[in-house]
């Protein structure tokens, strides 16, 4: 759970959310490319890190795909054209995580990490999904305190009570009802997939390839199930459990195992001799030290001016732990906070995106997660799950089985969740780190099983969230790049040491 949960509260909001688009001015007419009759590409407004080759456009799509003649909303799109017209194969969609993430600047960002032979063949396509600025945007108008990550992720009270979580869920859900308008009722993964097919048609492409990351793997899987013969080469990276009975509840629950998979790596790093942020002399001491410190902060929070909430309590430490395990480069954040808290101090308050951005990202996440599947409304059920979780997985303190705002969502899902099956062409390659706190291997294996013969999976002996072109694993990167550039896929699942 980009993070967003990973899906509601992202630890870093993509810069693409802040990029405005120029109005479409000129039609693109590059020889050898589909005309894209619905799109007019123009230079994007200047922004840090945007490749000057990146172009922007806007596509109008139905707000309600069941009423194609009704109200329309805008999708903001971007692309960097294939670098060799003679080798061009088609369009590679860069599907972001979240929900609440954007890939609008990804053609200039992660797209440029792709090897030359891939960039030669594909137009790299980015987009801001429905509801996310600068596409037609949505907001819930939440109270400032409810934008704290410890509210967006449902951490229970120190004694395990979920009463405050249920009250928060009701308050936040009602704010979304008041302020989210009609659009928030039409945010869903099915509609995200339909939007992608509208973009495909507007580009003039018969089929699309894609590289989906995190929540983007679920979007890619749903697209491949709903439009199987519109798929070319689909890479799903850091994969979500597709359980149709739970959907995002399964993603949230996966954090239990994800933390257990990754925390030993943090413990080894945090106890290494010579580490300036060392928190213990041995790896075995790190876990009990963390648990002791979290319990102490439950009892005796430390004021933290400028933070949200304005104190360092046990759940803030636990949330920092979860965020810091996303990739090894973040380990120092957790270690420094632990060391400061032991001294009774705090570091400077962490930087956060503008509140308007957080409001938008949170509303997109809420609408999508809550509209995909009905969540239980029983406080007793969540309380029971928290007790069970805390007993077995003390590091996450029951959060993964607790009630988030979907427990009070007033709108029933308009459609049933998509069931991923083995029916359709064999066009999918899954790539997965062995140790991933947000999308653990245990959940990825369930997506692999659901796809059956349609997919092959590459498991990489690496730690962190995001696998392809992220961890320097030459075997995994080579296997995925070969598939994108040639279509060649391993005959069976692969483990890359």
């Amino acid at each position: 759970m980009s993070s967003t949960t990973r899906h509601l509260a992202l630890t870093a909001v993509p810069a693409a959310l802040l990029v405005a688009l120029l109005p479409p001015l000129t039609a693109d007419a590059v020889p050898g490319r589909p005309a894209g009759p619905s799109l007019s590409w123009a230079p994007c407004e200047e922004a840090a890190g945007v490749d000057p080759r990146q172009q922007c456009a806007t596509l109008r799509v139905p707000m309600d795909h069941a009423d194609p003649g009704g109200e329309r909303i805008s999708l903001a799109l971007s692309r960097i054209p294939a670098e060799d017209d003679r080798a061009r194969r088609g369009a590679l969609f860069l599907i972001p995580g979240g929900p609440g993430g954007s890939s609008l600047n990804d053609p200039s960002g992660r797209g440029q990490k792709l090897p030359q032979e891939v960039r030669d063949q594909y137009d790299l396509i980015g987009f801001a999904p429905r509801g996310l600025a600068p596409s037609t945007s949505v907001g819930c108008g939440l109270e400032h305190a409810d934008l704290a990550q410890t509210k967006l992720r449902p951490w229970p009270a120190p004694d395990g009570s979920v009463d405050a979580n249920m009250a928060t869920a009701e308050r936040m859900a009602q704010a979304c009802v008041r302020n989210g308008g009609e659009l928030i009722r039409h945010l869903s993964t099915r509609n995200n997939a339909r939007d992608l097919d509208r973009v495909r048609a507007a580009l003039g492409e018969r089929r699309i390839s894609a590289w989906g990351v995190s929540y983007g793997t679920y979007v890619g899987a749903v697209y491949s199930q709903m439009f199987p013969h519109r798929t070319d080469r689909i890479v799903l990276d850091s994969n979500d459990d597709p359980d149709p009975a739970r959907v995002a509840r399964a993603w949230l629950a996966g954090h239990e195992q994800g933390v257990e998979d990754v925390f030993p790596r943090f413990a080894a790093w945090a106890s290494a001799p010579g580490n300036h942020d060392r928190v213990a002399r041995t790896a075995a001491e790190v876990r009990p030290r963390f648990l002791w410190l979290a319990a102490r902060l439950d009892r005796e929070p430390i004021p933290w001016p400028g933070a949200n909430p304005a104190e360092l309590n046990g759940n803030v430490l636990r949330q920092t732990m979860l965020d810091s395990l996303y990739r090894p480069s973040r380990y120092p954040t957790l270690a420094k906070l632990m060391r400061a808290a032991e001294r009774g101090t705090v570091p400077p308050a962490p930087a956060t995106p503008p509140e308007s951005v957080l409001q938008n990202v949170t509303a997109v996440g809420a609408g999508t997660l809550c509209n995909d599947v009905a969540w239980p409304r029983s406080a007793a059920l969540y309380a029971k799950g928290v007790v069970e979780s805390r007993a077995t997985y003390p590091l996450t303190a029951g959060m993964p089985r607790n009630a988030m705002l979907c427990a009070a969502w007033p709108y029933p899902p308009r459609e049933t969740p998509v069931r991923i099956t083995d029916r359709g062409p064999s066009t999918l390659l899954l790539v997965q780190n062995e140790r991933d706190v947000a999308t653990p291997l245990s959940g990825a294996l369930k997506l692999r099983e659901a796809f059956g013969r349609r997919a092959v999976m590459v498991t990489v002996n690496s730690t962190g969230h995001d696998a392809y072109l992220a961890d320097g694993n030459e075997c995994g990167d080579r296997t995925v790049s070969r598939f994108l550039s040639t279509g060649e896929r391993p005959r069976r699942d692969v483990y890359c040491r």
Side-chain angles (χ1 to χ4, degrees):
M1 281 193 111
S2 182
S3 84
T4 77
T5 70
R6 173 171 50 85
H7 303 81
L8 271 183
L10 305 182
T11 57
V13 176
L17 295 177
L18 306 177
V19 177
L21 302 182
L22 287 174
L25 299 174
T26 59
D28 150 64
V30 179
R33 288 204 176 86
S38 302
L39 298 175
S40 294
W41 295 99
C44 302
E45 282 194 358
E46 292 185 10
V50 175
D51 191 302
R53 298 173 298 166
Q54 182 169 299
Q55 305 166 339
C56 289
T58 300
L59 178 67
R60 302 283 287 175
V61 300
M63 181 169 66
D64 181 357
H65 283 279
D67 181 18
E71 184 176 349
R72 295 193 161 239
I73 59 174
S74 295
L75 297 180
L77 312 177
S78 64
R79 76 167 181 181
I80 291 180
E83 296 181 22
D84 184 348
D85 277 328
R86 294 170 299 178
R88 185 185 183 279
R89 179 178 181 85
L92 179 69
F93 283 42
L94 305 175
I95 308 178
S102 171
S103 64
L104 200 58
N105 279 352
D106 281 1
S108 297
R110 67 183 175 110
Q112 295 309 301
K113 296 181 180 180
L114 291 162
Q116 187 66 52
E117 59 268 25
V118 176
R119 289 183 282 117
D120 282 345
Q121 294 185 51
Y122 295 99
D123 294 349
L124 305 180
I125 306 297
F127 58 97
R130 60 171 48 214
L132 191 68
S135 297
T136 302
S137 64
V138 68
C140 289
L142 299 175
E143 298 175 13
H144 176 73
D146 286 338
L147 293 171
Q149 291 200 40
T150 49
K151 291 287 186 69
L152 298 173
R153 297 187 197 235
W155 294 96
D159 64 358
S161 168
V162 304
D163 293 344
N165 303 105
M166 295 298 290
T168 297
E170 181 67 29
R171 183 173 62 251
M172 294 173 70
Q174 288 305 313
C176 291
V177 170
R178 288 193 306 272
N179 303 311
E182 185 65 17
L183 177 55
I184 204 165
R185 303 190 64 181
H186 295 281
L187 302 178
S188 70
T189 303
R190 278 187 179 269
N191 281 337
N192 287 338
R194 293 180 178 112
D195 288 346
L196 291 188
D197 204 55
R198 289 279 182 148
V199 176
R200 175 203 60 77
L203 292 170
E205 300 289 345
R206 187 169 62 88
R207 297 185 298 171
I208 63 168
S209 295
W211 174 15
V213 177
S214 193
Y215 167 70
T217 65
Y218 185 60
V219 177
V222 168
Y223 184 89
S224 298
Q225 192 69 39
M226 293 176 65
F227 305 99
H229 297 291
R230 298 296 190 189
T231 61
D232 189 7
R233 299 169 184 171
I234 307 295
V235 173
L236 304 182
D237 176 354
S238 306
N239 297 274
D240 276 318
D241 182 345
D243 182 353
R246 296 188 298 165
V247 193
R249 286 180 62 219
W251 308 340
L252 190 66
H255 284 85
E256 294 173 333
Q257 189 59 51
V259 166
E260 292 297 328
D261 291 345
V262 178
F263 195 88
R265 293 296 172 124
F266 168 75
W269 173 89
S271 59
N275 181 352
H276 294 299
D277 295 315
R278 193 179 190 190
V279 301
R281 290 183 298 176
T282 68
E285 295 175 278
V286 176
R287 179 186 293 252
R289 196 174 193 89
F290 174 86
L291 292 171
W292 167 81
L293 184 56
R296 193 183 84 177
L297 291 169
D298 283 337
R299 297 188 304 270
E300 303 171 9
I302 303 171
W304 200 353
N308 187 17
E311 66 177 24
L312 172 56
N313 57 41
N315 282 340
V316 171
L317 180 67
R318 295 178 184 103
Q319 178 63 53
T320 303
M321 177 268 295
L322 191 58
D323 294 342
S324 298
L325 297 188
Y326 266 64
R327 50 187 56 91
S329 63
R330 296 185 184 177
Y331 291 173
T333 301
L334 175 58
K336 290 179 189 297
L337 187 60
M338 290 177 65
R339 287 163 60 91
E342 286 182 336
R343 298 189 300 266
T345 63
V346 291
T352 60
E355 185 157 320
S356 60
V357 175
L358 287 176
Q359 292 279 6
N360 184 207
V361 169
T362 300
V364 173
T368 307
L369 299 180
C370 303
N371 290 333
D372 270 357
V373 68
W375 287 56
R377 304 182 72 88
S378 166
L381 182 146
Y382 293 111
K384 179 174 182 291
V386 165
V387 170
E388 295 171 349
S389 182
R390 286 163 69 97
T392 308
Y393 302 96
L395 288 170
T396 45
M399 182 276 292
R401 301 195 212 177
N402 197 4
M404 60 185 296
L405 79 156
C406 296
W409 198 248
Y411 305 124
R414 292 172 180 261
E415 301 177 276
T416 58
V418 170
R419 180 176 294 276
I420 304 301
T421 74
D422 61 357
R423 295 189 296 275
S426 300
T427 56
L428 298 127
L429 181 68
L430 279 57
V431 59
Q432 178 72 34
N433 281 344
E434 191 168 13
R435 295 168 297 279
D436 181 340
V437 70
T439 54
L441 178 61
S442 54
L445 289 170
K446 293 177 181 178
L447 180 61
R448 170 67 187 90
E449 180 182 11
F451 272 128
R453 63 174 183 80
R454 297 188 64 190
V456 169
M457 184 162 161
V458 181
T459 304
V460 178
N461 180 17
S462 293
T463 301
H465 187 51
D466 298 353
Y468 178 46
L469 303 178
D471 297 309
N473 186 292
E474 194 272 339
C475 163
D477 292 349
R478 181 182 65 245
T479 303
V480 177
S481 295
R482 183 189 302 121
F483 172 65
L484 285 174
S485 60
T486 70
E488 181 183 344
R489 205 177 62 163
R491 293 187 177 182
R492 59 184 64 86
D493 293 353
V494 172
Y495 181 74
C496 285
R497 295 189 180 276

